[in-house]
Amino acid sequence: MKALLLDIEGTLAPLDFVHGTLFPYSAERMADFVANNFNALSVTIELLASEARSDPDADDRIDFGSPGEVAEYLNELIARDRKSTALKEIQGRIWRSGFENDELTAPLFDDVPGALARSHGRGELIAIFSSGSILAQKLFFSHTTSGDLSGLVDAYFDTTTGPKREPSSYIKIAEMLGIGPADIFFISDMLAELDAAAAAGMRTALALRPGNAVINDPGPHRCIGTLDDLE
Ligand SMILES: [Mg+2]
């Protein structure tokens, strides 16, 4: 094995960290953040307005010159779990201040820091593939319950590379890492992601973590309780 490709939620950290902690954290601070940074956010708010124009569910009476209405619309997007580049940028800034103020800490499972350090020590490449933005992934590894682990991570991929359920995304990642798919171990809690990685020729393991959905038939994928089971 030459590289580990790792999912975050349900694999390295509890499944509900994003929806249970990060999303509410940004929603609670949205109104103040937008009001206090309204001028500095003008380019992002223009992007938000143009996204809204092509969103059939968006109310076309929103006043994008009003901080209150902008914040309310952003929170609606969070509640609807909408993929919005403008929302992601604003959430990323709110999370950054939260991680930097120590109000947010990335809750890694206990085995993760040691396993990453050993893997790194053996010269294996460590890469992340998560639907959270690369900015959010970097914040996550810089502020974990075991301190700053960003030095252990060699590469970050998000859905700008491609969807997590498409084999082509994994082929692209292998190319970008410069490592053959057969030398890459992909670990995730989602069967559809593992199927896509396996179709691209990667080795795969299903992470069985507390809080994950119970999977009765893991198909061809190996099952692991912790990263130590790989060794
Ligand atoms: Mg996951």
Side-chain angles (χ1 to χ4, degrees), residues 23 26 30 78 87-96:
F23 280 17
S26 58
M30 191 63 79
I78 295 179
L87 170 64
K88 273 195 174 182
E89 272 178 37
I90 291 173
Q91 280 181 314
R93 293 176 59 154
I94 295 174
W95 293 331
R96 169 179 293 189

Side-chain angles (χ1 to χ4, degrees), residues 7-11 15 164 188-190 193:
D7 166 59
I8 295 179
E9 270 190 286
T11 300
L15 188 58
K164 292 187 78 183
S188 170
D189 60 315
M190 300 293 286
E193 298 174 5

Side-chain angles (χ1 to χ4, degrees), residues 131-149:
S131 49
S133 67
I134 288 175
L135 166 71
Q137 296 177 31
K138 287 181 174 170
L139 285 169
F140 183 96
F141 284 98
S142 303
H143 302 86
T144 80
T145 39
S146 298
D148 180 357
L149 299 185

Side-chain angles (χ1 to χ4, degrees), residues 44-68:
T44 310
I45 292 169
E46 257 172 56
L47 173 64
L48 186 71
S50 85
E51 288 173 353
R53 283 193 291 274
S54 53
D55 178 352
D57 295 334
D59 183 340
D60 53 18
R61 290 161 302 179
I62 301 165
D63 175 5
F64 285 94
S66 149

